[in-house]
Amino acid sequence: MIGIGVIGYGYWGPNLVRNFCDIPGVQVHWVCDLRTERLAGIRLRYPAVGITEDVDEVLRDPRIDAVAIATPVSSHFEIAMRALRAGKNVFVEKPITATAEQAERLNEEADRRGLIVAVDHTFIHTGAVKKLRELIKNDLGDVYYYDSVRVNLGIFQRDVSVMWDLAVHDLAIMDFVLDARPRAVSAVGMSHVAGVPENIAYLNLHFDCKLMAHVHVNWLAPVKIRRTLIGGSNKMIVYDDLEPSEKIKVYDRGITVDPMAPRASERIRQMRIGYRAGDMFAPQLDVTEALGCELREFVSCVEHGTRPTADGIAGLRVVRILEAASKSMANGGQMVELPQEMVLA
Amino acid sequence: MIGIGVIGYGYWGPNLVRNFCDIPGVQVHWVCDLRTERLAGIRLRYPAVGITEDVDEVLRDPRIDAVAIATPVSSHFEIAMRALRAGKNVFVEKPITATAEQAERLNEEADRRGLIVAVDHTFIHTGAVKKLRELIKNDLGDVYYYDSVRVNLGIFQRDVSVMWDLAVHDLAIMDFVLDARPRAVSAVGMSHVAGVPENIAYLNLHFDCKLMAHVHVNWLAPVKIRRTLIGGSNKMIVYDDLEPSEKIKVYDRGITVDPMAPRASERIRQMRIGYRAGDMFAPQLDVTEALGCELREFVSCVEHGTRPTADGIAGLRVVRILEAASKSMANGGQMVELPQEMVLA
Amino acid sequence: MIGIGVIGYGYWGPNLVRNFCDIPGVQVHWVCDLRTERLAGIRLRYPAVGITEDVDEVLRDPRIDAVAIATPVSSHFEIAMRALRAGKNVFVEKPITATAEQAERLNEEADRRGLIVAVDHTFIHTGAVKKLRELIKNDLGDVYYYDSVRVNLGIFQRDVSVMWDLAVHDLAIMDFVLDARPRAVSAVGMSHVAGVPENIAYLNLHFDCKLMAHVHVNWLAPVKIRRTLIGGSNKMIVYDDLEPSEKIKVYDRGITVDPMAPRASERIRQMRIGYRAGDMFAPQLDVTEALGCELREFVSCVEHGTRPTADGIAGLRVVRILEAASKSMANGGQMVELPQEMVLA
Amino acid sequence: MIGIGVIGYGYWGPNLVRNFCDIPGVQVHWVCDLRTERLAGIRLRYPAVGITEDVDEVLRDPRIDAVAIATPVSSHFEIAMRALRAGKNVFVEKPITATAEQAERLNEEADRRGLIVAVDHTFIHTGAVKKLRELIKNDLGDVYYYDSVRVNLGIFQRDVSVMWDLAVHDLAIMDFVLDARPRAVSAVGMSHVAGVPENIAYLNLHFDCKLMAHVHVNWLAPVKIRRTLIGGSNKMIVYDDLEPSEKIKVYDRGITVDPMAPRASERIRQMRIGYRAGDMFAPQLDVTEALGCELREFVSCVEHGTRPTADGIAGLRVVRILEAASKSMANGGQMVELPQEMVLA
């Protein structure tokens, strides 16, 4: 029996509790939140679950093997660190921490103690993104670009910009589906409400190979869009997460370049490019709830001491990009290099 | 009777000839192209039109009041300058020239001679873009962002990048519908075919006000997208040029910020933001063919010596941005300032 | 305090329990189902709710003011009748009963006892359908046609055809939004699985006025469609229930007929028809959960002895049409007249 | 050299002239129309083509091998018969004639004289419909239903109902892609403009096998829809002719019926139905202009004396259905049997 404590019961916490409760062999012992009004609902729905406002009450309980942290980003590091020091495994919402340095310290602490740090990069556990990874590995050929638009109206966060709130999803997905790691980042953004972080942002990821990645995030858009275009030398993909089915469409389209004419004149070279248009297909996707898959994996890692797909290192890589992007955004879009170890990782 | 010569009979030339022929009081006297095989079709369709490979044959003809130039960009300046020096008014394809300096010289020459230089910014003569301008002026409030995606598969141009081929449309539209002029430009892009200009590019336009503009152009996309999001303090717009009707949708959506609490704590300030969601409406649009409107305006300008909506100055502003964007793209996305006079214009 | 018993805890029962529990002043005392495995979940989620396999245990309980019946259609009549005889008000799933005669008897029994029979025509409590009713009353002019397509893959019902399962929604909506009542029905359908009722059907409703109604329902469609076209002399509507927002679009489109030329020749008369195309608008819709609105209305009716919007008479009208349509379907699509009182109602 | 005369130069005639002119070895000698103002444009565009108001001038010309008739439906028979009697092959717009009896007489006359009668069922020459036929033959399994919606605003015809104007396309497509022939027809429709034929209609085709076909046509719809659903035992198709690409989507979806339990109880039988959801694919389609393909086939038939795909018999089959449907519509939707020979054909 694996004992779980859930810390933070706002928007996402109830999903964590519900999904943990559905895993055989798992017992949620505690839910902790500072806002007592939120906890009232738990007592009715989950009479066996203890409720508290005190994190330490959770961390002191010897039945607790792991805590799931769904509090504001600014508190992730402190709570996670306390949990690790209390000998608990940690599952933490995205982004893992507010700074790369914090994420590094969490990873070190966890390694030292032989504990697990998992970050909730939920999307990488969806059927769609798992299929993306498979298609990119097997069918796309060289990946030319990754372009994501993730916009909607609201919800403005008070402690993080739209980049940390929305682009984090795209960075987590890219971290999972792409082989290459970015070398540098540039970003521009703007806030349209005084005293609130940027509500619109554009990120460019620069790689050492012939790949470009670009993310557009916006809390002030008239319509909701969740669409990613991925171009490869062999195939191209449209991933639209709002499609009820057919979220992923694979196009057998592209260009062909006639290699026979290296010294040809400009006009002749132009003739070398042909356009290829073949079938499109939309693979059937696994529709299991992503969070359920993810939490089952986490529980299994806790039981067997294995590493989760989105471990603290993945969380760190994503936060490094966000941190660099924030720096770039503050400097009018200047390119910011990422740590070299990251490129090599 | 206004006499016209059309120079260049490739993709666009036939549209120019057809539309000029439909204007009462206009006579197309010459079509000029170097590729004689292209001219064969003209003889059959327009037996009264002369055909030639020699631009000077057109420019020497005293019946010619104006020439329309639809040749590759690199030749625009030279042909247009010869036409002006021969005393002919000029209508030239977009972008007006390959460099800002060339555009300046054309404008000077035209002014000196009292001739007209019009640039074919076709989109600004569509019902959709005219409605955009009207909505932005009257309904949107402060304009927060302008975000355009203009992507498809092909056609790779041999002498210009995707930016000069596709983003030029967005720059022309912004020049027409926005009050503000950009202060600086940054752009990144990439070529995926050796020896061919960039086929994917992202442009940011920076303004002195709280406005951001961003353009994504791509010749290597699996699907065709022509979608612009425009956010304002009062209303927001989706302009999708591929919609058969309802190209423009105006959303009565946005946020409301409670101004009562300037010194409130962070948490309270967060509470200040409300989300407003009202009706959407799609105005009926004028469906007259844009090129026809544009050429009728040009002919009228030639007759009465008035300035066209897209004059050589508008063409110059657009080319300045493209030139700055190319410079930025060559320097890894570094911000490039635009001439100050442009901001003030 | 209003006491509720829920009978039937399959697909829809849990929604009834959850929504009743959210209404202040309402207490769900019992949930009854024959399948004990279904009841296990209730004990955990709603520890205060009694569970039983015996309907009479519910009906005997003096705390119970009303029962909500969510069992298979074939059992609606018997359970509802027993409930009425036990002095309980009744809320019953659609269709109200398996035959019109049963619905008549329920209505009589309820009237005799001063009890309420409400039928769960959920859709008429959605923001979209309430707006439809308003638009039809105020804006459409003469209603020319009502055309609904409601198709998807599955779920095949074992005791009723696709008509009784899906078209019932459209009939309930029409009963609510249209002034006119149908005079006759014709329907064709087919079963593609031996021993199972029709899985595809087309219904025509015939009216005394210039209105046609048509419904296409299908359990064997490759894609899910929920789209209704409504044409009026002044405006036309597209109601697409799968649109995330903008479920209702109102088109200022139609034809104009020049009345000046009654004796004109055929060719001239043809000239009389003009096509009018104006703005489209999509009104903001109330997004409150329909079932919640409906149950609050039902509870209020129980408290105050008022009639619900979808009372037993509305339920009867819909079942009469279904019954006539089944008869028509069994006779190769022959037109079947509806009872005259219905037209007059 | 094949000599062609085109009779009727309204909406479709110019397309015929343009496409015939593009076929090598074909010469359009005459265009004939009663409205002289229409003919003016021809003189300019096609100076080599003779123009006349007199059909006999065309039919007398010994250079003429075939005539293409694009006049109102009511005149098809008389002109086509005169052409056949003058020894000319005939290509006639859809529907082939205004009555089945006329079509029979044309076919007899053509057979007697060894001449060709082709009917312009343009859609069957599109890449989409050719692919449909291939998919239905090879992949769909048993065809369960064919459901088409073909609606838009206008254009009201003066001499035929919306059924003869729009449903004729669906009937021609079904005639080409389905193996089965309908046994009977029923239809309902309505006119909303006094003195004008029905502007909305619903047709049911009844077959001897487990196939249903249904067509909804409407000249008074707020939006344009061209969508056909085709269900088979193995695959299902959505054919949306308004999709710019991906007009045909093939869904690997359906139900599976467990055949092991023939005597099982009702509840068990219900369990037998499983839902299968696999990949979707959209085959690349031939984008050659359909009319060009069709006219090249017609010219080849004239040259070699072979039968066209849509010969006079296909035209007759379609008109028989339209005629029966009109009869049904006039009798409140009563089923009308089709001639038995048709079922056997």
Side-chain angles (χ1 to χ4, degrees), chain C residues 185-199:
Chain C
V185 183
S186 53
V188 293
M190 192 172 273
S191 168
H192 291 99
V193 182
V196 166
E198 288 85 353
N199 50 267

Side-chain angles (χ1 to χ4, degrees), chain D residues 94-333:
Chain D
K94 56 86 193 166
I96 188 169
T97 49
T99 70
E101 194 256 339
Q102 291 175 345
E104 281 161 8
R105 287 178 54 198
L106 282 190
N107 282 321
E108 285 162 17
E109 188 73 26
D111 283 355
R112 187 177 312 129
R113 294 178 178 273
L115 291 169
I116 287 158
V117 173
V119 58
D120 185 5
H121 290 174
T122 324
F123 270 101
I124 72 171
H125 297 274
T126 60
V129 174
K130 284 187 277 190
K131 180 61 75 175
L132 265 194
R133 180 178 155 101
E134 188 187 312
L135 289 163
I136 288 173
K137 191 183 284 287
N138 300 327
D139 297 286
L140 243 66
D142 297 334
V143 184
Y144 286 162
Y145 60 83
Y146 184 104
D147 176 274
S148 174
V149 178
R150 188 177 296 272
V151 307
N152 50 256
L153 183 58
I155 300 169
F156 283 63
Q157 303 293 313
R158 74 167 184 260
D159 61 344
V160 295
S161 77
V162 68
M163 212 163 61
W164 288 73
D165 180 47
L166 292 183
V168 62
H169 291 301
D170 298 293
L171 297 176
I173 293 171
M174 278 189 255
D175 189 76
F176 179 63
V177 302
L178 297 178
D179 262 348
R181 302 278 178 229
R183 172 183 51 76
V185 183
S186 53
V188 294
M190 193 172 272
S191 169
H192 292 99
V193 182
V196 167
E198 288 85 354
N199 51 268
I200 178 170
Y202 298 94
L203 272 78
N204 288 297
L205 302 196
H206 307 265
F207 295 81
D208 276 334
C209 55
K210 278 230 162 176
L211 167 62
M212 289 192 76
H214 185 269
V215 179
H216 170 203
V217 284
N218 189 342
W219 281 331
L220 205 57
V223 289
K224 186 173 182 177
I225 305 175
R226 295 283 183 270
R227 196 183 50 205
T228 303
L229 307 179
I230 309 175
S233 52
N234 295 334
K235 297 275 171 76
M236 299 203 266
I237 291 174
V238 177
Y239 160 37
D240 185 338
D241 201 49
L242 301 185
E243 282 279 327
S245 55
E246 299 153 45
K247 286 181 194 300
I248 289 185
K249 293 181 178 162
V250 185
Y251 291 84
D252 185 15
R253 286 194 189 152
I255 51 165
T256 53
V257 182
D258 173 0
M260 294 296 97
R263 294 179 163 229
S265 74
E266 223 178 71
R267 181 151 170 209
I268 297 295
R269 266 192 284 134
Q270 167 67 0
M271 311 288 283
R272 292 183 311 148
I273 297 179
Y275 302 93
R276 185 169 45 78
D279 296 350
M280 176 269 271
F281 95 104
Q284 175 66 9
L285 301 175
D286 177 5
V287 293
T288 319
E289 187 181 355
L291 185 55
C293 296
E294 188 178 19
L295 296 184
R296 281 191 297 278
E297 190 207 47
F298 173 68
V299 165
S300 164
C301 290
V302 168
E303 275 179 319
H304 306 102
T306 49
R307 283 194 98 82
T309 310
D311 59 7
I313 305 295
L316 167 62
R317 282 193 301 263
V318 166
V319 169
R320 274 185 178 156
I321 299 174
L322 289 170
E323 209 170 52
S326 293
K327 196 169 155 194
S328 174
M329 201 151 70
N331 286 287

Side-chain angles (χ1 to χ4, degrees), chain A residues 144-145 147 156 191-193 195 202 210 214 216 220-222 225 227 236 253 255 269-270 275 332 335, chain B residues 144-145 147 156 191-193 195 202 210 214 216 220-222 225 227 236 251 253 255 269-270 275 332 335:
Chain A
Y144 286 161
Y145 60 84
D147 175 275
F156 282 64
S191 168
H192 292 99
V193 182
Y202 298 94
K210 277 230 163 177
H214 185 268
H216 169 204
L220 205 57
I225 306 175
R227 196 182 51 205
M236 300 204 265
R253 287 194 190 153
I255 51 165
R269 266 193 285 137
Q270 167 65 2
Y275 303 93
M335 201 182 292
Chain B
Y144 286 162
Y145 60 84
D147 176 274
F156 283 64
S191 168
H192 291 99
V193 182
Y202 298 95
K210 277 228 162 179
H214 185 269
H216 169 203
L220 205 57
I225 305 175
R227 196 182 51 206
M236 300 204 265
Y251 292 83
R253 285 193 191 153
I255 52 166
R269 266 192 285 135
Q270 167 66 3
Y275 303 93
M335 201 181 292

Side-chain angles (χ1 to χ4, degrees), chain C residues 145 147 156 202 220 222 253 275, chain D residues 145 147 202 220 222 253 275:
Chain C
Y145 61 83
D147 176 275
F156 282 64
Y202 298 93
L220 204 58
R253 287 193 191 154
Y275 302 93
Chain D
Y145 60 83
D147 176 274
Y202 298 94
L220 205 57
R253 286 194 189 152
Y275 302 93

